[in-house]
Amino acid sequence: MRDEVDGLVEAWRAERPDLDVEPLQVLSRVSRLARHLDRARRAVFTEHDLEPWEFDVLAELRRSGAPYELSPGRLLRATLVTSGTMTNRIDRLAAAALVRRFPDPADRRGVLVRLTDEGRERVDAALADLLRYEESLLGSLRRAERERLSSLLRSVLSPLDED
């Protein structure tokens, strides 16, 4: 079965025979898949009245386990944003009653950010819908194929994530 990437690679081979365009076979497909996933994530999150960044912060809190609280520093490291950006995000999530701030008992100057019941319900529902969509994308792959694909992608991503 041919796809658009096959045509793109074929055209580049004809126009630039001096270049090895083989990386396009994989990375153009990864790029196209990422765009489709981004659109789907946005659609799912919109159904739950969430922005992608809101889901990311709420999901990080949810994954932390009960009582679903982290310091702002842990949240910014996990979501790869600056402290100013994280402060703004926490403010907005708190105004929407999705998180609350509490004094950190281990640090008199610090605070902890805790997921509210509403925040937990919203992130849980959005995750369930997202996973249903993602499962439909992978439905044509057998378990062994999924595991192999996951392993191969991990090999490509690992060196990039070390930066």
Side-chain angles (χ1 to χ4, degrees):
M1 170 190 333
R2 286 182 53 86
D3 66 5
E4 287 189 39
V5 173
D6 290 322
L8 177 140
V9 170
E10 190 176 282
W12 276 122
R13 279 190 181 129
E15 292 300 315
R16 291 297 310 267
D18 57 312
L19 294 177
D20 177 10
V21 296
E22 199 60 29
L24 295 175
Q25 291 280 10
V26 173
L27 299 178
S28 289
R29 287 183 176 93
V30 169
S31 177
R32 292 173 59 79
L33 179 59
R35 284 194 301 269
H36 286 288
L37 288 172
D38 184 58
R39 277 190 228 124
R41 284 173 56 95
R42 288 179 184 280
V44 167
F45 299 154
T46 296
E47 288 175 22
H48 296 279
D49 199 24
L50 292 172
E51 294 290 330
W53 66 265
E54 290 173 312
F55 177 84
D56 291 343
V57 174
L58 298 176
E60 188 63 29
L61 289 165
R62 181 67 167 104
R63 286 190 303 267
S64 72
Y68 312 114
E69 64 185 23
L70 294 170
S71 70
R74 289 268 314 268
L75 285 170
L76 73 90
R77 284 189 297 280
T79 57
L80 304 175
V81 298
T82 65
S83 60
T85 297
M86 183 52 65
T87 298
N88 180 271
R89 289 180 175 185
I90 293 168
D91 289 345
R92 291 173 64 185
L93 289 167
L98 299 175
V99 302
R100 288 187 56 205
R101 287 185 175 92
F102 292 92
D104 185 344
D107 179 359
R108 289 184 304 145
R109 296 172 300 161
V111 298
L112 294 172
V113 179
R114 184 179 300 163
L115 197 58
T116 63
D117 288 343
E118 171 67 19
R120 184 178 50 77
E121 290 168 11
R122 192 104 56 95
V123 74
D124 283 354
L127 177 63
D129 285 351
L130 179 62
L131 290 174
R132 275 190 287 280
Y133 172 76
E134 290 180 351
E135 177 61 34
S136 74
L137 289 179
L138 298 174
S140 65
L141 299 177
R142 293 186 307 276
R143 176 177 291 288
E145 291 172 318
R146 290 180 189 200
E147 289 171 1
R148 181 73 177 138
L149 179 58
S150 177
S151 177
L152 291 168
L153 290 171
R154 185 181 302 109
S155 295
V156 173
L157 282 172
S158 289
L160 299 173
D161 286 343
E162 291 173 3
D163 293 342

